[in-house]
Amino acid sequence: MFFLSLTAPRPATLGVHSGRLAEPPGTANCVSTQTDVRSFWMAPLEFTGSPAEAWTRLRHVVSEVPRTKVVTDNGSYMHVEVTSAVFRFTDDVEFLLEPDAGRIHFRSASRVGRSDLGTNRKRMQRIRDQFLKQHP
């Protein structure tokens, strides 16, 4: 398992394509705010006020997640890699700011395997809770 986690490449589907994040891969180890598949769907982060302030708040919340590395952050799109503690599996977490709607979309997916025992959903719920706690 450890070797598998070290050799899993960064997915080519990461990033924004036609204004959207990629669809979930079809395995039970992903959540997304921009999918029509109910089992993978979560509501986006919603905010009032300045999009820049909301993005700054998100950056702070993400920086508090253990074993997290920000790969890309251009102020409206962020890609973060989160590494599991034991087997060193990498999950790719993406955020996309939709400023006019007051929303931040996200997608969180494991690079390997078919199931994550709910890890991505739990992580994104914790991020949501912290994001709202900092400024409801």
Side-chain angles (χ1 to χ4, degrees):
M1 279 192 177
F2 180 73
F3 180 72
L4 181 62
S5 68
L6 293 177
T7 60
R10 188 176 289 154
T13 57
L14 295 176
V16 181
H17 309 278
S18 300
R20 297 178 59 86
L21 300 171
E23 275 294 312
T27 54
N29 58 5
C30 181
V31 293
S32 174
T33 62
Q34 293 185 314
T35 184
D36 293 330
V37 180
R38 295 300 299 172
S39 60
F40 299 131
W41 185 80
M42 286 184 77
L45 303 174
E46 296 189 0
F47 64 88
T48 57
S50 159
E53 289 173 0
W55 198 255
T56 298
R57 183 168 21 133
L58 176 63
R59 281 183 184 131
H60 175 74
V61 169
V62 167
S63 74
E64 298 292 316
V65 176
R67 297 172 309 283
T68 298
K69 173 185 163 190
V70 176
V71 177
T72 304
D73 181 357
N74 67 16
S76 63
Y77 170 80
M78 186 185 323
H79 169 223
V80 177
E81 294 175 340
V82 183
T83 306
S84 67
V86 177
F87 291 110
R88 311 304 292 166
F89 289 117
T90 300
D91 294 343
D92 293 289
V93 183
E94 299 175 279
F95 299 94
L96 176 63
L97 180 65
E98 191 178 6
D100 295 338
R103 287 190 289 246
I104 300 174
H105 290 283
F106 59 80
R107 178 183 186 273
S108 183
S110 302
R111 284 191 187 169
V112 298
R114 300 197 53 79
S115 175
D116 66 352
L117 304 174
T119 298
N120 282 290
R121 184 172 296 277
K122 290 172 193 168
R123 176 187 310 115
M124 297 316 297
Q125 187 59 53
R126 284 192 303 272
I127 287 174
R128 174 191 312 288
D129 293 346
Q130 287 302 113
F131 183 80
L132 293 175
K133 185 178 178 181
Q134 299 221 355
H135 184 75

PDB file of all heavy atoms in Angstrom, residues 74-112:
ATOM      1  N   ASN A  74      -4.427  30.835  -7.074  1.00  0.00           N
ATOM      2  CA  ASN A  74      -4.377  32.064  -7.876  1.00  0.00           C
ATOM      3  C   ASN A  74      -5.441  33.076  -7.469  1.00  0.00           C
ATOM      4  O   ASN A  74      -5.696  34.026  -8.195  1.00  0.00           O
ATOM      5  CB  ASN A  74      -4.470  31.729  -9.375  1.00  0.00           C
ATOM      6  CG  ASN A  74      -5.824  31.166  -9.766  1.00  0.00           C
ATOM      7  OD1 ASN A  74      -6.800  31.267  -9.030  1.00  0.00           O
ATOM      8  ND2 ASN A  74      -5.885  30.564 -10.939  1.00  0.00           N
ATOM      9  N   GLY A  75      -6.060  32.861  -6.320  1.00  0.00           N
ATOM     10  CA  GLY A  75      -7.061  33.795  -5.826  1.00  0.00           C
ATOM     11  C   GLY A  75      -8.487  33.449  -6.203  1.00  0.00           C
ATOM     12  O   GLY A  75      -9.428  33.991  -5.638  1.00  0.00           O
ATOM     13  N   SER A  76      -8.661  32.516  -7.145  1.00  0.00           N
ATOM     14  CA  SER A  76     -10.003  32.039  -7.476  1.00  0.00           C
ATOM     15  C   SER A  76     -10.028  30.520  -7.660  1.00  0.00           C
ATOM     16  O   SER A  76     -11.094  29.923  -7.728  1.00  0.00           O
ATOM     17  CB  SER A  76     -10.535  32.717  -8.733  1.00  0.00           C
ATOM     18  OG  SER A  76      -9.733  32.393  -9.849  1.00  0.00           O
ATOM     19  N   TYR A  77      -8.862  29.905  -7.731  1.00  0.00           N
ATOM     20  CA  TYR A  77      -8.741  28.448  -7.801  1.00  0.00           C
ATOM     21  C   TYR A  77      -7.594  28.031  -6.892  1.00  0.00           C
ATOM     22  O   TYR A  77      -6.522  28.653  -6.900  1.00  0.00           O
ATOM     23  CB  TYR A  77      -8.449  27.978  -9.232  1.00  0.00           C
ATOM     24  CG  TYR A  77      -8.072  26.503  -9.294  1.00  0.00           C
ATOM     25  CD1 TYR A  77      -9.051  25.516  -9.252  1.00  0.00           C
ATOM     26  CD2 TYR A  77      -6.738  26.108  -9.362  1.00  0.00           C
ATOM     27  CE1 TYR A  77      -8.699  24.170  -9.284  1.00  0.00           C
ATOM     28  CE2 TYR A  77      -6.385  24.774  -9.396  1.00  0.00           C
ATOM     29  CZ  TYR A  77      -7.365  23.806  -9.353  1.00  0.00           C
ATOM     30  OH  TYR A  77      -7.018  22.484  -9.371  1.00  0.00           O
ATOM     31  N   MET A  78      -7.841  26.979  -6.102  1.00  0.00           N
ATOM     32  CA  MET A  78      -6.805  26.458  -5.220  1.00  0.00           C
ATOM     33  C   MET A  78      -6.786  24.933  -5.339  1.00  0.00           C
ATOM     34  O   MET A  78      -7.841  24.299  -5.317  1.00  0.00           O
ATOM     35  CB  MET A  78      -7.082  26.852  -3.764  1.00  0.00           C
ATOM     36  CG  MET A  78      -5.973  26.480  -2.808  1.00  0.00           C
ATOM     37  SD  MET A  78      -6.318  26.794  -1.017  1.00  0.00           S
ATOM     38  CE  MET A  78      -7.246  28.295  -1.014  1.00  0.00           C
ATOM     39  N   HIS A  79      -5.585  24.384  -5.477  1.00  0.00           N
ATOM     40  CA  HIS A  79      -5.389  22.933  -5.451  1.00  0.00           C
ATOM     41  C   HIS A  79      -4.503  22.626  -4.264  1.00  0.00           C
ATOM     42  O   HIS A  79      -3.430  23.215  -4.101  1.00  0.00           O
ATOM     43  CB  HIS A  79      -4.737  22.435  -6.745  1.00  0.00           C
ATOM     44  CG  HIS A  79      -4.287  21.011  -6.654  1.00  0.00           C
ATOM     45  ND1 HIS A  79      -3.073  20.588  -7.143  1.00  0.00           N
ATOM     46  CD2 HIS A  79      -4.869  19.907  -6.121  1.00  0.00           C
ATOM     47  CE1 HIS A  79      -2.940  19.296  -6.912  1.00  0.00           C
ATOM     48  NE2 HIS A  79      -4.007  18.858  -6.288  1.00  0.00           N
ATOM     49  N   VAL A  80      -4.964  21.694  -3.440  1.00  0.00           N
ATOM     50  CA  VAL A  80      -4.277  21.313  -2.215  1.00  0.00           C
ATOM     51  C   VAL A  80      -4.091  19.801  -2.212  1.00  0.00           C
ATOM     52  O   VAL A  80      -4.997  19.068  -2.610  1.00  0.00           O
ATOM     53  CB  VAL A  80      -5.118  21.733  -0.985  1.00  0.00           C
ATOM     54  CG1 VAL A  80      -4.482  21.289   0.307  1.00  0.00           C
ATOM     55  CG2 VAL A  80      -5.368  23.221  -0.981  1.00  0.00           C
ATOM     56  N   GLU A  81      -2.941  19.342  -1.777  1.00  0.00           N
ATOM     57  CA  GLU A  81      -2.711  17.915  -1.575  1.00  0.00           C
ATOM     58  C   GLU A  81      -2.710  17.641  -0.073  1.00  0.00           C
ATOM     59  O   GLU A  81      -2.023  18.324   0.687  1.00  0.00           O
ATOM     60  CB  GLU A  81      -1.376  17.485  -2.177  1.00  0.00           C
ATOM     61  CG  GLU A  81      -1.341  17.603  -3.689  1.00  0.00           C
ATOM     62  CD  GLU A  81       0.013  17.285  -4.290  1.00  0.00           C
ATOM     63  OE1 GLU A  81       1.041  17.342  -3.565  1.00  0.00           O
ATOM     64  OE2 GLU A  81       0.044  16.992  -5.493  1.00  0.00           O
ATOM     65  N   VAL A  82      -3.494  16.637   0.320  1.00  0.00           N
ATOM     66  CA  VAL A  82      -3.569  16.228   1.720  1.00  0.00           C
ATOM     67  C   VAL A  82      -3.082  14.789   1.791  1.00  0.00           C
ATOM     68  O   VAL A  82      -3.568  13.929   1.060  1.00  0.00           O
ATOM     69  CB  VAL A  82      -5.007  16.332   2.271  1.00  0.00           C
ATOM     70  CG1 VAL A  82      -5.044  15.965   3.750  1.00  0.00           C
ATOM     71  CG2 VAL A  82      -5.573  17.733   2.059  1.00  0.00           C
ATOM     72  N   THR A  83      -2.122  14.535   2.662  1.00  0.00           N
ATOM     73  CA  THR A  83      -1.518  13.210   2.782  1.00  0.00           C
ATOM     74  C   THR A  83      -1.994  12.531   4.056  1.00  0.00           C
ATOM     75  O   THR A  83      -1.979  13.144   5.129  1.00  0.00           O
ATOM     76  CB  THR A  83       0.017  13.321   2.799  1.00  0.00           C
ATOM     77  OG1 THR A  83       0.428  14.056   1.638  1.00  0.00           O
ATOM     78  CG2 THR A  83       0.681  11.962   2.799  1.00  0.00           C
ATOM     79  N   SER A  84      -2.415  11.269   3.936  1.00  0.00           N
ATOM     80  CA  SER A  84      -2.878  10.528   5.111  1.00  0.00           C
ATOM     81  C   SER A  84      -1.702  10.217   6.022  1.00  0.00           C
ATOM     82  O   SER A  84      -0.557  10.100   5.581  1.00  0.00           O
ATOM     83  CB  SER A  84      -3.606   9.251   4.699  1.00  0.00           C
ATOM     84  OG  SER A  84      -2.715   8.347   4.096  1.00  0.00           O
ATOM     85  N   ALA A  85      -2.003  10.054   7.302  1.00  0.00           N
ATOM     86  CA  ALA A  85      -0.956   9.882   8.304  1.00  0.00           C
ATOM     87  C   ALA A  85      -0.259   8.526   8.205  1.00  0.00           C
ATOM     88  O   ALA A  85       0.961   8.455   8.289  1.00  0.00           O
ATOM     89  CB  ALA A  85      -1.547  10.059   9.704  1.00  0.00           C
ATOM     90  N   VAL A  86      -0.998   7.459   8.014  1.00  0.00           N
ATOM     91  CA  VAL A  86      -0.404   6.127   8.109  1.00  0.00           C
ATOM     92  C   VAL A  86       0.192   5.649   6.792  1.00  0.00           C
ATOM     93  O   VAL A  86       1.389   5.398   6.693  1.00  0.00           O
ATOM     94  CB  VAL A  86      -1.443   5.108   8.642  1.00  0.00           C
ATOM     95  CG1 VAL A  86      -0.854   3.709   8.685  1.00  0.00           C
ATOM     96  CG2 VAL A  86      -1.926   5.526  10.026  1.00  0.00           C
ATOM     97  N   PHE A  87      -0.632   5.532   5.745  1.00  0.00           N
ATOM     98  CA  PHE A  87      -0.160   4.956   4.490  1.00  0.00           C
ATOM     99  C   PHE A  87       0.344   5.999   3.500  1.00  0.00           C
ATOM    100  O   PHE A  87       0.781   5.659   2.414  1.00  0.00           O
ATOM    101  CB  PHE A  87      -1.258   4.106   3.848  1.00  0.00           C
ATOM    102  CG  PHE A  87      -1.556   2.855   4.618  1.00  0.00           C
ATOM    103  CD1 PHE A  87      -2.756   2.722   5.291  1.00  0.00           C
ATOM    104  CD2 PHE A  87      -0.621   1.833   4.690  1.00  0.00           C
ATOM    105  CE1 PHE A  87      -3.029   1.576   6.009  1.00  0.00           C
ATOM    106  CE2 PHE A  87      -0.894   0.688   5.410  1.00  0.00           C
ATOM    107  CZ  PHE A  87      -2.101   0.555   6.081  1.00  0.00           C
ATOM    108  N   ARG A  88       0.261   7.271   3.869  1.00  0.00           N
ATOM    109  CA  ARG A  88       0.761   8.371   3.037  1.00  0.00           C
ATOM    110  C   ARG A  88       0.024   8.490   1.699  1.00  0.00           C
ATOM    111  O   ARG A  88       0.592   8.900   0.698  1.00  0.00           O
ATOM    112  CB  ARG A  88       2.272   8.249   2.798  1.00  0.00           C
ATOM    113  CG  ARG A  88       3.112   8.001   4.044  1.00  0.00           C
ATOM    114  CD  ARG A  88       2.950   9.003   5.139  1.00  0.00           C
ATOM    115  NE  ARG A  88       3.492  10.299   4.742  1.00  0.00           N
ATOM    116  CZ  ARG A  88       3.251  11.419   5.394  1.00  0.00           C
ATOM    117  NH1 ARG A  88       2.488  11.423   6.447  1.00  0.00           N
ATOM    118  NH2 ARG A  88       3.765  12.540   4.988  1.00  0.00           N
ATOM    119  N   PHE A  89      -1.279   8.133   1.682  1.00  0.00           N
ATOM    120  CA  PHE A  89      -2.099   8.331   0.494  1.00  0.00           C
ATOM    121  C   PHE A  89      -2.327   9.815   0.286  1.00  0.00           C
ATOM    122  O   PHE A  89      -2.466  10.570   1.249  1.00  0.00           O
ATOM    123  CB  PHE A  89      -3.456   7.632   0.623  1.00  0.00           C
ATOM    124  CG  PHE A  89      -3.381   6.143   0.545  1.00  0.00           C
ATOM    125  CD1 PHE A  89      -3.753   5.365   1.623  1.00  0.00           C
ATOM    126  CD2 PHE A  89      -2.931   5.507  -0.604  1.00  0.00           C
ATOM    127  CE1 PHE A  89      -3.698   3.987   1.559  1.00  0.00           C
ATOM    128  CE2 PHE A  89      -2.862   4.131  -0.683  1.00  0.00           C
ATOM    129  CZ  PHE A  89      -3.249   3.364   0.405  1.00  0.00           C
ATOM    130  N   THR A  90      -2.389  10.242  -0.963  1.00  0.00           N
ATOM    131  CA  THR A  90      -2.625  11.651  -1.277  1.00  0.00           C
ATOM    132  C   THR A  90      -4.035  11.840  -1.809  1.00  0.00           C
ATOM    133  O   THR A  90      -4.475  11.103  -2.690  1.00  0.00           O
ATOM    134  CB  THR A  90      -1.612  12.151  -2.330  1.00  0.00           C
ATOM    135  OG1 THR A  90      -0.293  12.002  -1.798  1.00  0.00           O
ATOM    136  CG2 THR A  90      -1.858  13.610  -2.680  1.00  0.00           C
ATOM    137  N   ASP A  91      -4.723  12.823  -1.258  1.00  0.00           N
ATOM    138  CA  ASP A  91      -6.019  13.253  -1.759  1.00  0.00           C
ATOM    139  C   ASP A  91      -5.829  14.625  -2.378  1.00  0.00           C
ATOM    140  O   ASP A  91      -5.082  15.459  -1.857  1.00  0.00           O
ATOM    141  CB  ASP A  91      -7.054  13.346  -0.641  1.00  0.00           C
ATOM    142  CG  ASP A  91      -7.401  11.998  -0.024  1.00  0.00           C
ATOM    143  OD1 ASP A  91      -7.094  10.963  -0.642  1.00  0.00           O
ATOM    144  OD2 ASP A  91      -7.977  11.991   1.073  1.00  0.00           O
ATOM    145  N   ASP A  92      -6.506  14.859  -3.501  1.00  0.00           N
ATOM    146  CA  ASP A  92      -6.471  16.156  -4.168  1.00  0.00           C
ATOM    147  C   ASP A  92      -7.743  16.909  -3.819  1.00  0.00           C
ATOM    148  O   ASP A  92      -8.846  16.409  -4.050  1.00  0.00           O
ATOM    149  CB  ASP A  92      -6.365  15.974  -5.685  1.00  0.00           C
ATOM    150  CG  ASP A  92      -5.028  15.379  -6.069  1.00  0.00           C
ATOM    151  OD1 ASP A  92      -4.021  16.102  -5.956  1.00  0.00           O
ATOM    152  OD2 ASP A  92      -4.992  14.202  -6.474  1.00  0.00           O
ATOM    153  N   VAL A  93      -7.565  18.106  -3.260  1.00  0.00           N
ATOM    154  CA  VAL A  93      -8.692  18.951  -2.888  1.00  0.00           C
ATOM    155  C   VAL A  93      -8.592  20.224  -3.718  1.00  0.00           C
ATOM    156  O   VAL A  93      -7.537  20.857  -3.759  1.00  0.00           O
ATOM    157  CB  VAL A  93      -8.682  19.286  -1.377  1.00  0.00           C
ATOM    158  CG1 VAL A  93      -9.905  20.112  -1.002  1.00  0.00           C
ATOM    159  CG2 VAL A  93      -8.602  18.012  -0.540  1.00  0.00           C
ATOM    160  N   GLU A  94      -9.700  20.573  -4.372  1.00  0.00           N
ATOM    161  CA  GLU A  94      -9.735  21.759  -5.221  1.00  0.00           C
ATOM    162  C   GLU A  94     -10.866  22.676  -4.772  1.00  0.00           C
ATOM    163  O   GLU A  94     -11.925  22.209  -4.343  1.00  0.00           O
ATOM    164  CB  GLU A  94      -9.977  21.387  -6.677  1.00  0.00           C
ATOM    165  CG  GLU A  94      -8.916  20.505  -7.276  1.00  0.00           C
ATOM    166  CD  GLU A  94      -9.295  20.093  -8.673  1.00  0.00           C
ATOM    167  OE1 GLU A  94     -10.099  19.152  -8.807  1.00  0.00           O
ATOM    168  OE2 GLU A  94      -8.798  20.728  -9.626  1.00  0.00           O
ATOM    169  N   PHE A  95     -10.633  23.968  -4.895  1.00  0.00           N
ATOM    170  CA  PHE A  95     -11.632  24.979  -4.581  1.00  0.00           C
ATOM    171  C   PHE A  95     -11.739  25.932  -5.766  1.00  0.00           C
ATOM    172  O   PHE A  95     -10.727  26.287  -6.375  1.00  0.00           O
ATOM    173  CB  PHE A  95     -11.229  25.779  -3.340  1.00  0.00           C
ATOM    174  CG  PHE A  95     -11.103  24.944  -2.100  1.00  0.00           C
ATOM    175  CD1 PHE A  95      -9.880  24.415  -1.723  1.00  0.00           C
ATOM    176  CD2 PHE A  95     -12.210  24.687  -1.303  1.00  0.00           C
ATOM    177  CE1 PHE A  95      -9.754  23.644  -0.580  1.00  0.00           C
ATOM    178  CE2 PHE A  95     -12.095  23.916  -0.153  1.00  0.00           C
ATOM    179  CZ  PHE A  95     -10.869  23.397   0.210  1.00  0.00           C
ATOM    180  N   LEU A  96     -12.955  26.365  -6.055  1.00  0.00           N
ATOM    181  CA  LEU A  96     -13.210  27.288  -7.161  1.00  0.00           C
ATOM    182  C   LEU A  96     -14.172  28.369  -6.685  1.00  0.00           C
ATOM    183  O   LEU A  96     -15.300  28.073  -6.291  1.00  0.00           O
ATOM    184  CB  LEU A  96     -13.796  26.546  -8.364  1.00  0.00           C
ATOM    185  CG  LEU A  96     -14.194  27.400  -9.565  1.00  0.00           C
ATOM    186  CD1 LEU A  96     -12.971  28.107 -10.152  1.00  0.00           C
ATOM    187  CD2 LEU A  96     -14.875  26.527 -10.615  1.00  0.00           C
ATOM    188  N   LEU A  97     -13.713  29.602  -6.714  1.00  0.00           N
ATOM    189  CA  LEU A  97     -14.512  30.746  -6.271  1.00  0.00           C
ATOM    190  C   LEU A  97     -15.519  31.139  -7.345  1.00  0.00           C
ATOM    191  O   LEU A  97     -15.160  31.298  -8.512  1.00  0.00           O
ATOM    192  CB  LEU A  97     -13.582  31.930  -5.969  1.00  0.00           C
ATOM    193  CG  LEU A  97     -14.224  33.224  -5.486  1.00  0.00           C
ATOM    194  CD1 LEU A  97     -14.878  33.038  -4.125  1.00  0.00           C
ATOM    195  CD2 LEU A  97     -13.167  34.323  -5.426  1.00  0.00           C
ATOM    196  N   GLU A  98     -16.765  31.279  -6.934  1.00  0.00           N
ATOM    197  CA  GLU A  98     -17.824  31.800  -7.795  1.00  0.00           C
ATOM    198  C   GLU A  98     -18.290  33.110  -7.141  1.00  0.00           C
ATOM    199  O   GLU A  98     -19.270  33.133  -6.391  1.00  0.00           O
ATOM    200  CB  GLU A  98     -18.962  30.785  -7.915  1.00  0.00           C
ATOM    201  CG  GLU A  98     -19.958  31.119  -8.979  1.00  0.00           C
ATOM    202  CD  GLU A  98     -21.049  30.059  -9.104  1.00  0.00           C
ATOM    203  OE1 GLU A  98     -21.111  29.112  -8.299  1.00  0.00           O
ATOM    204  OE2 GLU A  98     -21.855  30.201 -10.032  1.00  0.00           O
ATOM    205  N   PRO A  99     -17.561  34.208  -7.386  1.00  0.00           N
ATOM    206  CA  PRO A  99     -17.753  35.443  -6.611  1.00  0.00           C
ATOM    207  C   PRO A  99     -19.141  36.055  -6.726  1.00  0.00           C
ATOM    208  O   PRO A  99     -19.689  36.513  -5.716  1.00  0.00           O
ATOM    209  CB  PRO A  99     -16.680  36.386  -7.154  1.00  0.00           C
ATOM    210  CG  PRO A  99     -16.282  35.832  -8.467  1.00  0.00           C
ATOM    211  CD  PRO A  99     -16.535  34.355  -8.410  1.00  0.00           C
ATOM    212  N   ASP A 100     -19.723  36.086  -7.905  1.00  0.00           N
ATOM    213  CA  ASP A 100     -21.029  36.724  -8.079  1.00  0.00           C
ATOM    214  C   ASP A 100     -22.149  35.982  -7.360  1.00  0.00           C
ATOM    215  O   ASP A 100     -23.146  36.583  -6.980  1.00  0.00           O
ATOM    216  CB  ASP A 100     -21.365  36.870  -9.563  1.00  0.00           C
ATOM    217  CG  ASP A 100     -20.402  37.810 -10.273  1.00  0.00           C
ATOM    218  OD1 ASP A 100     -19.773  38.650  -9.598  1.00  0.00           O
ATOM    219  OD2 ASP A 100     -20.260  37.691 -11.505  1.00  0.00           O
ATOM    220  N   ALA A 101     -21.978  34.686  -7.167  1.00  0.00           N
ATOM    221  CA  ALA A 101     -22.995  33.869  -6.503  1.00  0.00           C
ATOM    222  C   ALA A 101     -22.737  33.727  -5.006  1.00  0.00           C
ATOM    223  O   ALA A 101     -23.569  33.182  -4.286  1.00  0.00           O
ATOM    224  CB  ALA A 101     -23.066  32.497  -7.154  1.00  0.00           C
ATOM    225  N   GLY A 102     -21.570  34.195  -4.530  1.00  0.00           N
ATOM    226  CA  GLY A 102     -21.244  34.048  -3.116  1.00  0.00           C
ATOM    227  C   GLY A 102     -21.010  32.597  -2.724  1.00  0.00           C
ATOM    228  O   GLY A 102     -21.421  32.167  -1.648  1.00  0.00           O
ATOM    229  N   ARG A 103     -20.338  31.860  -3.610  1.00  0.00           N
ATOM    230  CA  ARG A 103     -20.089  30.435  -3.364  1.00  0.00           C
ATOM    231  C   ARG A 103     -18.641  30.070  -3.663  1.00  0.00           C
ATOM    232  O   ARG A 103     -18.016  30.668  -4.529  1.00  0.00           O
ATOM    233  CB  ARG A 103     -20.958  29.571  -4.273  1.00  0.00           C
ATOM    234  CG  ARG A 103     -22.400  29.525  -3.923  1.00  0.00           C
ATOM    235  CD  ARG A 103     -23.108  28.462  -4.739  1.00  0.00           C
ATOM    236  NE  ARG A 103     -23.216  28.859  -6.122  1.00  0.00           N
ATOM    237  CZ  ARG A 103     -24.358  29.116  -6.741  1.00  0.00           C
ATOM    238  NH1 ARG A 103     -25.497  29.024  -6.102  1.00  0.00           N
ATOM    239  NH2 ARG A 103     -24.371  29.457  -8.005  1.00  0.00           N
ATOM    240  N   ILE A 104     -18.189  29.050  -2.952  1.00  0.00           N
ATOM    241  CA  ILE A 104     -16.914  28.419  -3.259  1.00  0.00           C
ATOM    242  C   ILE A 104     -17.204  26.938  -3.480  1.00  0.00           C
ATOM    243  O   ILE A 104     -17.661  26.239  -2.571  1.00  0.00           O
ATOM    244  CB  ILE A 104     -15.882  28.612  -2.134  1.00  0.00           C
ATOM    245  CG1 ILE A 104     -15.605  30.105  -1.902  1.00  0.00           C
ATOM    246  CG2 ILE A 104     -14.589  27.853  -2.472  1.00  0.00           C
ATOM    247  CD1 ILE A 104     -14.715  30.407  -0.711  1.00  0.00           C
ATOM    248  N   HIS A 105     -16.990  26.492  -4.702  1.00  0.00           N
ATOM    249  CA  HIS A 105     -17.176  25.085  -5.036  1.00  0.00           C
ATOM    250  C   HIS A 105     -15.925  24.315  -4.636  1.00  0.00           C
ATOM    251  O   HIS A 105     -14.833  24.879  -4.551  1.00  0.00           O
ATOM    252  CB  HIS A 105     -17.422  24.916  -6.536  1.00  0.00           C
ATOM    253  CG  HIS A 105     -18.747  25.432  -6.958  1.00  0.00           C
ATOM    254  ND1 HIS A 105     -19.915  24.744  -6.729  1.00  0.00           N
ATOM    255  CD2 HIS A 105     -19.102  26.590  -7.577  1.00  0.00           C
ATOM    256  CE1 HIS A 105     -20.932  25.447  -7.190  1.00  0.00           C
ATOM    257  NE2 HIS A 105     -20.463  26.571  -7.707  1.00  0.00           N
ATOM    258  N   PHE A 106     -16.088  23.025  -4.410  1.00  0.00           N
ATOM    259  CA  PHE A 106     -14.935  22.189  -4.094  1.00  0.00           C
ATOM    260  C   PHE A 106     -15.116  20.791  -4.642  1.00  0.00           C
ATOM    261  O   PHE A 106     -16.223  20.353  -4.965  1.00  0.00           O
ATOM    262  CB  PHE A 106     -14.649  22.150  -2.593  1.00  0.00           C
ATOM    263  CG  PHE A 106     -15.774  21.630  -1.737  1.00  0.00           C
ATOM    264  CD1 PHE A 106     -16.006  20.267  -1.612  1.00  0.00           C
ATOM    265  CD2 PHE A 106     -16.582  22.507  -1.042  1.00  0.00           C
ATOM    266  CE1 PHE A 106     -17.025  19.792  -0.815  1.00  0.00           C
ATOM    267  CE2 PHE A 106     -17.611  22.044  -0.241  1.00  0.00           C
ATOM    268  CZ  PHE A 106     -17.832  20.679  -0.122  1.00  0.00           C
ATOM    269  N   ARG A 107     -13.984  20.134  -4.738  1.00  0.00           N
ATOM    270  CA  ARG A 107     -13.917  18.724  -5.128  1.00  0.00           C
ATOM    271  C   ARG A 107     -12.780  18.120  -4.324  1.00  0.00           C
ATOM    272  O   ARG A 107     -11.688  18.691  -4.260  1.00  0.00           O
ATOM    273  CB  ARG A 107     -13.627  18.605  -6.624  1.00  0.00           C
ATOM    274  CG  ARG A 107     -13.494  17.169  -7.128  1.00  0.00           C
ATOM    275  CD  ARG A 107     -13.141  17.199  -8.628  1.00  0.00           C
ATOM    276  NE  ARG A 107     -13.130  15.883  -9.213  1.00  0.00           N
ATOM    277  CZ  ARG A 107     -12.078  15.072  -9.226  1.00  0.00           C
ATOM    278  NH1 ARG A 107     -10.932  15.449  -8.666  1.00  0.00           N
ATOM    279  NH2 ARG A 107     -12.149  13.893  -9.791  1.00  0.00           N
ATOM    280  N   SER A 108     -13.035  16.981  -3.696  1.00  0.00           N
ATOM    281  CA  SER A 108     -12.014  16.301  -2.904  1.00  0.00           C
ATOM    282  C   SER A 108     -12.031  14.836  -3.297  1.00  0.00           C
ATOM    283  O   SER A 108     -13.065  14.172  -3.193  1.00  0.00           O
ATOM    284  CB  SER A 108     -12.309  16.464  -1.408  1.00  0.00           C
ATOM    285  OG  SER A 108     -11.305  15.865  -0.624  1.00  0.00           O
ATOM    286  N   ALA A 109     -10.892  14.334  -3.789  1.00  0.00           N
ATOM    287  CA  ALA A 109     -10.838  12.963  -4.294  1.00  0.00           C
ATOM    288  C   ALA A 109      -9.529  12.275  -3.937  1.00  0.00           C
ATOM    289  O   ALA A 109      -8.466  12.893  -3.960  1.00  0.00           O
ATOM    290  CB  ALA A 109     -11.005  12.967  -5.817  1.00  0.00           C
ATOM    291  N   SER A 110      -9.628  10.992  -3.638  1.00  0.00           N
ATOM    292  CA  SER A 110      -8.450  10.166  -3.405  1.00  0.00           C
ATOM    293  C   SER A 110      -7.807   9.824  -4.738  1.00  0.00           C
ATOM    294  O   SER A 110      -8.500   9.612  -5.725  1.00  0.00           O
ATOM    295  CB  SER A 110      -8.844   8.874  -2.685  1.00  0.00           C
ATOM    296  OG  SER A 110      -9.479   9.157  -1.466  1.00  0.00           O
ATOM    297  N   ARG A 111      -6.500   9.741  -4.757  1.00  0.00           N
ATOM    298  CA  ARG A 111      -5.789   9.376  -5.994  1.00  0.00           C
ATOM    299  C   ARG A 111      -5.856   7.894  -6.289  1.00  0.00           C
ATOM    300  O   ARG A 111      -5.805   7.487  -7.451  1.00  0.00           O
ATOM    301  CB  ARG A 111      -4.321   9.793  -5.917  1.00  0.00           C
ATOM    302  CG  ARG A 111      -4.125  11.247  -6.099  1.00  0.00           C
ATOM    303  CD  ARG A 111      -2.667  11.582  -6.276  1.00  0.00           C
ATOM    304  NE  ARG A 111      -2.512  13.029  -6.292  1.00  0.00           N
ATOM    305  CZ  ARG A 111      -1.363  13.645  -6.230  1.00  0.00           C
ATOM    306  NH1 ARG A 111      -0.236  12.936  -6.173  1.00  0.00           N
ATOM    307  NH2 ARG A 111      -1.313  14.953  -6.238  1.00  0.00           N
ATOM    308  N   VAL A 112      -5.908   7.068  -5.263  1.00  0.00           N
ATOM    309  CA  VAL A 112      -5.908   5.621  -5.467  1.00  0.00           C
ATOM    310  C   VAL A 112      -7.060   4.981  -4.696  1.00  0.00           C
ATOM    311  O   VAL A 112      -7.604   5.559  -3.763  1.00  0.00           O
ATOM    312  CB  VAL A 112      -4.568   4.971  -5.028  1.00  0.00           C
ATOM    313  CG1 VAL A 112      -3.412   5.492  -5.852  1.00  0.00           C
ATOM    314  CG2 VAL A 112      -4.318   5.199  -3.558  1.00  0.00           C
TER     315      VAL A 112
END
